[in-house]
Amino acid sequence: MFNNNSVDGVFVMPKDVLKYINNAKKVELRLIMYIFAKGENFTVEDAAEDLSESVEMINSALSFWRGTGLITERDGKVKVKKERVVASSKEEPKQETYSTLDVANATMNDDEFRQIVKFVEKTLGDLPNASKQAQLYYLYDNLGMQSDVIMGIIAHCAAAGKTQMSYIKKTAEGIHNDGVETYKELETYLAAKEEYKNFETAVKRIIGAGDRAFTKSEKALVEKWDKEWNVSTELLSVAYERTIALISKPSLPYMSKILEGWYNEGIKTAQQAEELLEKQGQKLKKETADEKAEKARKAGFDFEFEDIFEKP
């Protein structure tokens, strides 16, 4: 159940509302203010009457805000995104630790938090003690994370065999710090993480790295291949083979130079790369000795190219 963050009759709205106000119509702006002011007492019928709008118009405006992720519906009730309140000089800051009484009151009086506790019990097969519940309440109350996001993270950790509450809390904090706020954003975030993990595994398989962890600089290269250049594993294999052919050993920086050249040339597939290499090979075969010598001189070699070969 949504408990409006208000102080002395002043309601609080998330800063994310600012992202959408330029695209929002007048009725949509009036509605979002009304929703946050009413909190858990909001109903479409009351909004239509109080704002002098039709039910159809209110539902249309509601659809706009649902699309932003600031508004969700569960069990027929409209719920709004919680905003963490920054303490003023007259307010106490949010707690970072919670007593057994704090947690007990939250479990008794807050339906959403109670749902989180029940989800943990069902998913992990263990009734969380007061200490574990306090860590959950920290995520919910202090960080202001939505209940469905917390439960989604718990399910993700459990699926990976990570059931320690300390691990779940740390994972949730990291995801929160990465800007994930809605369940839809969580799904996208986790899918991207899984896709990168598979890509990194493929890179290790191609270069024969086994289970060796990449260094920080190597990881930066692999992330660039995946996220910026969208390199396929097939193209990676060609780049690896080319690297071995040229320097006789695996080297991610050398592979990256090859991939960068192909990226700049618009090469996206292994077939395109192989065709380019074939053309380059044919061109090299056709070069005359003078052309090769000129290349050598431009590269900084002060000798006649043919002098390095044994004359008949």
Side-chain angles (χ1 to χ4, degrees):
M1 182 176 293
F2 170 69
N3 295 316
N4 189 28
N5 291 319
S6 61
V7 181
D8 296 330
V10 178
F11 68 87
V12 179
M13 296 175 65
K15 291 181 180 178
D16 282 354
V17 171
L18 296 175
K19 298 178 182 178
Y20 309 104
I21 57 175
N22 287 337
N23 295 323
K25 299 176 182 177
K26 182 178 179 180
V27 64
E28 291 163 349
L29 293 174
R30 293 169 62 215
L31 179 63
I32 195 66
M33 294 177 66
Y34 181 86
I35 289 173
F36 277 92
K38 295 292 286 187
E40 63 184 4
N41 297 317
F42 169 83
T43 68
V44 171
E45 292 74 17
D46 287 345
E49 181 177 352
D50 294 342
L51 298 177
S52 299
E53 300 283 356
S54 66
V55 170
E56 290 75 16
M57 184 64 74
I58 293 298
N59 279 323
S60 176
L62 198 58
S63 295
F64 172 83
W65 290 112
R66 275 199 298 265
T68 67
L70 294 172
I71 300 295
T72 58
E73 286 188 73
R74 184 179 296 155
D75 300 328
K77 294 182 179 180
V78 172
K79 298 185 181 296
V80 299
K81 176 183 173 183
K82 293 187 175 183
E83 176 73 359
R84 182 177 177 183
V85 179
V86 179
S88 69
S89 58
K90 295 181 180 180
E91 297 177 69
E92 289 297 322
K94 282 277 191 175
Q95 289 178 252
E96 294 192 9
T97 59
Y98 298 89
S99 67
T100 302
L101 182 60
D102 292 328
V103 174
N105 286 334
T107 306
M108 182 180 299
N109 299 318
D110 193 314
D111 289 342
E112 286 198 41
F113 182 67
R114 183 162 58 248
Q115 187 178 12
I116 295 172
V117 174
K118 288 182 178 179
F119 183 82
V120 170
E121 181 180 1
K122 179 180 179 181
T123 305
L124 304 185
D126 178 38
L127 179 63
N129 57 29
S131 175
K132 293 179 180 179
Q133 289 187 39
Q135 293 182 69
L136 289 171
Y137 196 54
Y138 164 80
L139 301 175
Y140 177 75
D141 182 67
N142 189 294
L143 299 187
M145 296 180 68
Q146 294 186 22
S147 58
D148 55 353
V149 173
I150 296 173
M151 290 187 287
I153 293 171
I154 292 169
H156 170 71
C157 291
K162 305 291 187 180
T163 58
Q164 301 89 347
M165 191 56 64
S166 58
Y167 180 90
I168 292 172
K169 176 175 174 285
K170 184 177 180 180
T171 300
E173 286 177 314
I175 291 174
H176 173 76
N177 291 336
D178 283 341
V180 174
E181 297 179 339
T182 68
Y183 188 78
K184 184 176 181 179
E185 291 174 347
L186 176 66
E187 288 182 316
T188 302
Y189 179 90
L190 293 178
K193 286 288 187 181
E194 183 65 21
E195 190 276 334
Y196 173 75
K197 180 180 178 182
N198 293 336
F199 183 80
E200 187 179 86
T201 299
V203 174
K204 290 181 179 180
R205 174 179 53 78
I206 289 169
I207 68 173
D211 294 330
R212 178 180 73 81
F214 285 137
T215 65
K216 186 176 180 179
S217 60
E218 287 176 332
K219 193 175 184 68
L221 291 176
V222 175
E223 287 181 348
K224 179 180 288 187
W225 301 347
D226 179 42
K227 298 176 182 178
E228 293 184 31
W229 297 347
N230 196 27
V231 178
S232 68
T233 53
E234 292 80 9
L235 191 60
L236 276 175
S237 295
V238 179
Y240 171 73
E241 291 170 2
R242 184 64 176 162
T243 299
I244 296 300
L246 292 172
I247 64 174
S248 302
K249 64 179 180 179
S251 169
L252 266 65
Y254 201 94
M255 281 179 64
S256 196
K257 286 293 183 183
I258 293 173
L259 290 169
E260 183 178 11
W262 290 346
Y263 177 78
N264 292 333
E265 290 287 333
I267 303 298
K268 297 181 179 180
T269 68
Q271 182 178 349
Q272 289 174 327
E274 289 169 347
E275 289 174 354
L276 178 64
L277 291 173
E278 178 66 22
K279 289 179 181 178
Q280 291 173 339
Q282 292 175 354
K283 185 177 179 181
L284 284 173
K285 289 179 182 179
K286 293 179 181 179
E287 284 184 345
T288 65
D290 287 341
E291 289 172 332
K292 293 177 181 178
E294 180 61 22
K295 276 191 175 181
R297 278 191 289 272
K298 288 181 178 180
F301 297 105
D302 189 18
F303 56 79
E304 291 297 328
F305 191 81
E306 59 266 27
D307 289 344
I308 67 173
F309 296 102
E310 181 180 352
K311 296 181 181 179

